[in-house]
Amino acid sequence: MSDYFHALNGVKQGGVLSPVLFCIYIDNLLVALSKAGVGCFIGNNFVGALAYADDIVLLAPSATALRKMLQICDEFATDYSIVFNAQKSKCLVIFPQRCRILRDRLNACTFYIGCDRIEFVESFSHLGHIINAKLDDVSDIIKRRNDFIGQVNNILCYFKNLNSFVKYQLFSSYCLSMYGCELWLLNSSSISDFEVAWRKSLRKVWDLPYNTHCFLLPLLGHCLPIFDEICRRSSNFIHSCIVSKSVLVRSVALYGILFGRYNSCIGHNALFFTRRYSCIVQDIIEGRVNSIVRSYCNAGFDDYCVDVASCLYELIMVRDNVFKFSDNFQMSSSDLINIIANLSTC
């Protein structure tokens, strides 16, 4: 359940101090929820109320626990003269695999905030990351892929007259944020859809044939293959959680790796990383992720691959007039394009 709070007592909306004052304002609510003894726990750590800016997520293992937490929110609203917006609040129910039959009884279960009923949804966007009742990443990956394709098309449309090297810099700066990819399960089959979109986009950015060899694309851009880049970001995220100043964040990350394993996104991805890159979890904990991924990718390219990519890179420079030969150089544009096409596809 996600509640959006609207402070009515003296917090100036949009001001520099608004976020700080708001956090102070609702701190008593978070303390009350923590002391209630209901909600979700990981070990002794209470994770039943997660707050970020004006967004609060309540996590409860049962309907009874959630009603108790909502009652505490209603009492807080009365005491502090604030209003919970039920229209913006949603309830997402995640059933264990063995209890799918309970889904048929969901309609008989209702929750209220401020006397208004909370809507049930199958998926919801929390802080830009789509969470669904199946706890898979398909919806979020599809959204990220579609956003990525739209961003690439904008660059190709508005900067079509620029050379490929400038377009690639724009591509790298504005199209590869992949917000939330650190939370994707690395064995998700949907990631391959994002990989396909990445390869197609790079071929368009470099103005290469649609069947250009995949191995040439990261070499031309001096970057990692996109799946390895996602793995790198995921593992660096795990490392940042482990060394976080927050005791709660550290505890959740270590629990996921040491005990949760495949039942935890963090633990699952850590094990996936160690198997793919032939390393150990300690390498993630000690922050050796970048060098491990880079070494793995470099080992996958032999001298032939590097030589072909270097030659293709220089030919693209000539084609786009970034590099010019002397006036005695005799080669038509069509000849140059044919050489690039043959080199990139043979």
Side-chain angles (χ1 to χ4, degrees):
M1 195 280 291
S2 180
D3 294 313
Y4 291 79
F5 294 81
H6 298 276
L8 302 180
N9 287 347
V11 179
K12 182 180 179 182
Q13 298 299 316
V16 176
L17 292 178
S18 291
V20 176
L21 294 176
F22 187 81
C23 289
I24 296 173
Y25 195 72
I26 66 167
D27 187 63
N28 287 341
L29 172 61
L30 301 178
V31 172
L33 290 168
S34 178
K35 290 182 177 180
V38 296
C40 290
F41 286 79
I42 296 180
N44 294 324
N45 296 299
F46 175 71
V47 293
L50 307 177
Y52 184 84
D54 63 344
D55 187 271
I56 303 290
V57 175
L58 301 182
L59 302 175
S62 66
T64 302
L66 182 56
R67 289 195 178 98
K68 175 63 176 177
M69 298 175 79
L70 290 172
Q71 180 183 351
I72 293 173
C73 291
D74 279 333
E75 292 172 355
F76 181 86
T78 300
D79 293 340
Y80 289 85
S81 300
I82 66 172
V83 176
F84 295 86
N85 193 334
Q87 297 299 317
K88 292 184 178 180
S89 299
K90 309 297 177 183
C91 184
L92 179 66
V93 181
I94 300 169
F95 292 96
Q97 192 69 35
R98 62 183 181 277
C99 300
R100 297 295 183 185
I101 193 173
L102 295 177
R103 186 178 297 276
D104 298 332
R105 306 177 186 177
L106 184 61
N107 292 332
C109 189
T110 56
F111 301 101
Y112 295 86
I113 187 72
C115 300
D116 294 321
R117 186 171 179 173
I118 300 173
E119 177 188 4
F120 282 94
V121 294
E122 288 294 319
S123 65
F124 192 71
S125 178
H126 175 58
L127 303 180
H129 187 77
I130 298 177
I131 302 172
N132 61 33
K134 296 180 181 179
L135 283 184
D136 61 36
D137 303 307
V138 175
S139 299
D140 193 64
I141 294 173
I142 290 175
K143 183 180 186 305
R144 295 289 163 250
R145 183 199 64 187
N146 293 341
D147 291 344
F148 168 78
I149 293 173
Q151 291 166 344
V152 173
N153 287 338
N154 285 337
I155 286 177
L156 295 175
C157 177
Y158 292 111
F159 302 100
K160 59 184 178 182
N161 294 325
L162 299 179
N163 65 61
S164 298
F165 299 92
V166 176
K167 285 189 284 189
Y168 179 72
Q169 291 298 321
L170 293 170
F171 170 85
S172 300
S173 300
Y174 298 109
C175 301
L176 293 179
S177 66
M178 295 185 293
Y179 176 80
C181 72
E182 296 84 357
L183 300 176
W184 295 345
L185 285 178
L186 295 178
N187 69 341
S188 174
S189 59
S190 297
I191 295 181
S192 61
D193 295 334
F194 194 99
E195 293 182 80
V196 171
W198 180 80
R199 290 193 292 267
K200 288 182 177 180
S201 298
L202 271 182
R203 292 184 180 107
K204 292 178 181 179
V205 167
W206 290 112
D207 195 14
L208 295 172
Y210 72 93
N211 56 342
T212 296
H213 292 303
C214 297
F215 75 84
L216 291 171
L217 301 176
L219 290 173
L220 282 175
H222 304 287
C223 64
L224 297 174
I226 192 61
F227 183 71
D228 293 292
E229 174 64 19
I230 293 172
C231 291
R232 185 189 69 83
R233 294 190 188 188
S234 175
S235 298
N236 277 329
F237 171 75
I238 295 173
H239 169 73
S240 65
C241 289
I242 293 173
V243 300
S244 171
K245 295 180 180 180
S246 168
V247 175
L248 176 60
V249 173
R250 289 202 310 271
S251 299
V252 171
L254 290 173
Y255 179 89
I257 292 174
L258 300 177
F259 302 103
R261 299 175 74 80
Y262 282 111
N263 291 322
S264 160
C265 174
I266 287 179
H268 185 286
N269 284 352
L271 289 174
F272 183 96
F273 184 89
T274 58
R275 292 178 178 178
R276 177 176 175 83
Y277 299 101
S278 301
C279 61
I280 58 177
V281 173
Q282 193 65 26
D283 291 321
I284 300 176
I285 295 176
E286 295 181 3
R288 291 191 285 267
V289 170
N290 293 337
S291 59
I292 288 173
V293 175
R294 179 61 66 181
S295 297
Y296 172 89
C297 293
N298 288 340
F301 300 121
D302 56 24
D303 292 340
Y304 171 78
C305 296
V306 175
D307 290 341
V308 171
S310 298
C311 183
L312 185 60
Y313 188 88
E314 293 177 358
L315 288 171
I316 294 174
M317 292 179 70
V318 176
R319 182 198 67 189
D320 292 359
N321 294 317
V322 176
F323 176 80
K324 294 183 179 181
F325 287 103
S326 64
D327 295 337
N328 296 325
F329 179 74
Q330 299 292 327
M331 182 178 291
S332 66
S333 298
S334 60
D335 290 337
L336 189 60
I337 292 174
N338 287 334
I339 294 174
I340 290 175
N342 288 329
L343 189 62
S344 60
T345 57
C346 292

